[in-house]
Amino acid sequence: MNAADLFGVVAALLVGIGLYGLIVNPQPLRKILSFNVIGNGVFLLFGAIAYRGAAFGLGSDPVPQALLITGLVVAFSATALAVALLLRLFEATGSDTLSSEPPAANPSAAGEQ
Amino acid sequence: MMTFVNLLLAVLLLALAAWTTLARNMFAAVVGFIAYGALLALAWVQLSGIDIALTEAAIGSGLTGLLLLNAASRLHVNANAGGNTGRSRLRVPAALLSAAVSGALMLCVFALPETPPTLAPDVAANLASTEVRNPITAVLLAFRAMDTLLEAIVLLFALIGVWSLSSDPHWGGRPGLRQYSEPNGILAYTARVLPPIGIVVGAYIFWTGADYPGGKFQGATLLAAMWLLVLMAGLADAPPIRRTWLRVALVAGPLAFIAVGFLGLQTAGAFLAYPEGFVKPLIIAIELALLPSLTLVLGLLLLGAPLRGEEP
C-alpha cells in the first residue's frame, strides 16, 4: 500500500470519526472540533489525490496543494466566526449545550435579552 | 522504513482523532486536537506537501487550537462529564451512518483512475514565466491569483462577522479581555525574549516563499502569534476596533492586490495578469502588502468580538 492509498484511507476514517462526533456531541464547541476533524479528512483526501498526480520532478500536483492552503486559511476563519457566535450565545443565554435534556440552560440569564 | 513511519502516523492520527471526539473533558479534547494537528503536519510532509505542512502546523493546529482553548476556558466547560449522555439513543445510528460514509469514501479512494489527472506538467512548463521557483507560490499568486485575492477578502468578511457579534455598549472597543501577568514572571519574560526571534523567523518564512516552501500565510501566522504572545503577557493591549489606522491597515493588503489586478488590465490585457519582466517584483509587492493585513486579521480573528470599551 503506497502513501496515497494509506492516507486516503486515513482521510476516509477521519471524516467518519468527525461525522460521528458532530452528531453525538451536544456541546457546540465539541461540534466545532468534530467539524474541523471532518474538514481535515476532506483536505487529506484531496492531498492524497494530489500526491498521485506527482510529475515532472514535482512531488505532488501543486494546483490542489495551493487550493489546500487557501482552504486551511478559510477553515480557520470559519472556525473563528463559529467560536465567536458560540461565545455570544453563551453570553446571552448562559448555556453551552444544545441538548435539551440536562438542565444546563439558565432561565434567569435568558431573560436579559 | 518509510512505510513504517506512515503506518505509525496513520494509527496515531486516527487514535488522536477518536480521542478528540470521545474525550469527556473539553480541555483534553482540545489538547488532543492540537497534537493531532501537529501529526497531520507530518502526514503532509510524507505527502510532499511541505507548504501545506507549514500552514497546517501554524494555522490548523496552532491558531485553531489556541482559539478553541480560549473558548473552552471562557465557557467553563472544564469537567463537563457526561456531556454525551443526552443523546445516547443517537449513538448507534450515528455510528452506522459514519461507517457508511467512511466506507463509501474508501471505495472511492480505491476506485481512482490508474493514471491520475494532474496539472503538474502545466505548472512545470509555465513556472519559468512567473520568475518564482516555488510552484505553490506560482499557483497562489500567478496562475490562480483570483483565489488568493478572494481568500484575503473572505478573511476580512469573517472578521466583520466576528466584530458584529459585540454587544452594543462594547461596539468599537477593544477585543478580548485585558490580560495581567506578573511583570517578572516567566510569561512576561518569554514575551520579551521570543518576539525578536519569532519576527525574524516569520520574515524569513515569508521571504523564502518565492523559491522554497513558505509564504505570506505561514509568515503572517508566526508574526500574529508573536503579537498575541505580547498581548497575553499583558505587555501591550489590543487596539480598539474603532481606530482608523487599524481599519486602513486591514484593507490595505487586499486593496493593493486589487490595484495590481487593475494594473494588469491596463498593461497585460487581463485582470490580475502581470506584464512581462515585472512578474516577480509584482508578486513580491502583493505579498509584502498582504503580510501586515494578514497578520492583523489572523490575530484579531483569534481575539474575537470586543468585550470592553475604548479605555484600556
Side-chain angles (χ1 to χ4, degrees), chain A residues 4-79:
Chain A
D5 285 347
L6 176 68
F7 285 113
V9 169
V10 171
L13 290 170
L14 285 181
V15 172
I17 292 172
L19 185 62
Y20 176 76
L22 183 70
I23 298 171
V24 166
N25 284 321
Q27 298 169 324
L29 196 56
R30 303 297 293 265
K31 285 191 191 288
I32 295 172
L33 206 57
S34 299
F35 200 76
N36 267 291
V37 174
I38 299 182
N40 285 330
V42 173
F43 291 150
L44 196 60
L45 188 57
F46 197 30
I49 293 170
Y51 184 67
R52 297 174 81 244
F56 286 84
L58 300 174
S60 178
D61 189 348
V63 176
Q65 288 205 332
L67 297 185
L68 276 165
I69 292 180
T70 309
L72 274 166
V73 177
V74 172
F76 166 73
S77 68
T79 306

Side-chain angles (χ1 to χ4, degrees), chain A residues 12 25-27 30 52-53 88 96, chain B residues 23 77 80 83-84 102 113 118 165:
Chain A
N25 284 321
Q27 298 169 324
R30 303 297 293 265
R52 297 174 81 244
R88 191 75 179 91
D96 62 17
Chain B
V77 285
N80 204 337
N84 302 344
S102 280
T118 176
L165 290 167

Side-chain angles (χ1 to χ4, degrees), chain B residues 30-103:
Chain B
V30 175
V31 171
F33 181 77
I34 295 172
Y36 155 85
L39 282 172
L40 200 56
L42 289 180
W44 284 118
V45 174
Q46 296 293 58
L47 288 174
S48 301
I50 313 285
D51 289 271
I52 307 175
L54 280 170
T55 317
E56 171 63 38
I59 296 180
S61 168
L63 280 190
T64 308
L66 195 57
L67 182 77
L68 294 169
L69 267 183
N70 182 31
S73 70
R74 289 220 353 235
L75 291 174
H76 317 291
V77 285
N78 37 13
N80 204 337
N84 302 344
T85 50
R87 308 208 173 172
S88 49
R89 66 178 187 285
L90 263 181
R91 284 191 183 175
V92 174
L96 287 176
L97 177 68
S98 307
V101 170
S102 280

